[in-house]
Amino acid sequence: MHQIKSSIKQNSIFIFVLLFLFCFSCKQNSQTKLEPNLIITTKNKFDEDFKTVKDFDDLVRHLNQYDSLWRRVIGTNKDFNFVKDMASEFARIQNKGNLGKVPEDLISETLRGIPKEGGLREAFLDIWIESQGKSINKN
């Protein structure tokens, strides 16, 4: 009988500790979830910031700042590192003053590897067209 009481006491303590840890864990998880307002605010900031991209330096900054969001936007079967590399390369060319000299064939070939999702391909093309001295009417 003494053995049974001792076993029940040990199990009771064990169950109490498990319940305490479970409650503590649930509280921690609820505090780490993103609030819906934070998600909306981040998306709005992302969209507004993307609208202000004027050149490849801006685009590189934006891609780096919103790396994880862009990876979600374009999906896992697209190579986001290629996008970032091409934006950096065009920024380098732009900073040397040679972006206007990039031939249409090269930009066309590059654009094939840039995803359409999120307007990335359009952003690359718009920046390149502006460098050619032509203006883009954005709505």
Side-chain angles (χ1 to χ4, degrees):
M1 186 68 163
H2 179 65
Q3 216 173 13
I4 294 174
K5 286 182 182 180
S6 176
S7 179
I8 290 174
K9 261 187 182 178
Q10 286 176 347
N11 287 339
S12 297
I13 291 172
F14 180 71
I15 291 171
F16 177 75
V17 169
L18 280 178
L19 285 173
F20 175 76
L21 290 174
F22 177 74
C23 290
F24 181 73
S25 174
C26 289
K27 184 178 178 184
Q28 292 291 90
N29 286 339
S30 69
Q31 290 175 348
T32 59
K33 290 182 182 175
L34 289 177
E35 296 291 327
N37 290 340
L38 181 59
I39 294 170
I40 292 169
T41 302
T42 302
K43 172 133 177 40
N44 289 342
K45 176 81 171 114
F46 170 84
D47 292 339
E48 289 300 315
D49 196 31
F50 189 52
K51 289 177 186 175
T52 65
V53 169
K54 300 289 184 221
D55 58 25
F56 281 107
D57 283 330
D58 290 346
L59 184 59
V60 168
R61 178 196 47 78
H62 182 78
L63 294 174
N64 287 328
Q65 182 176 356
Y66 297 102
D67 183 280
S68 61
L69 283 173
W70 273 115
R71 289 181 190 276
R72 286 185 185 156
V73 168
I74 68 170
T76 56
N77 17 339
K78 307 278 172 58
D79 186 5
F80 186 62
N81 290 330
F82 174 78
V83 174
K84 289 173 67 173
D85 289 345
M86 289 299 97
S88 294
E89 183 61 22
F90 281 124
R92 187 185 64 74
I93 293 168
Q94 170 187 288
N95 291 335
K96 287 186 172 183
N98 295 327
L99 188 59
K101 298 176 185 174
V102 173
E104 189 174 334
D105 295 356
L106 179 60
I107 197 71
S108 293
E109 185 64 32
T110 302
L111 288 176
R112 287 186 190 131
I114 305 297
K116 293 178 183 178
E117 291 85 1
L120 275 175
R121 187 178 290 177
E122 184 180 340
F124 271 78
L125 184 59
D126 289 350
I127 295 168
W128 178 77
I129 289 173
E130 291 280 338
S131 77
Q132 302 297 306
K134 301 172 186 171
S135 63
I136 305 291
N137 291 335
K138 294 183 182 180
N139 295 338

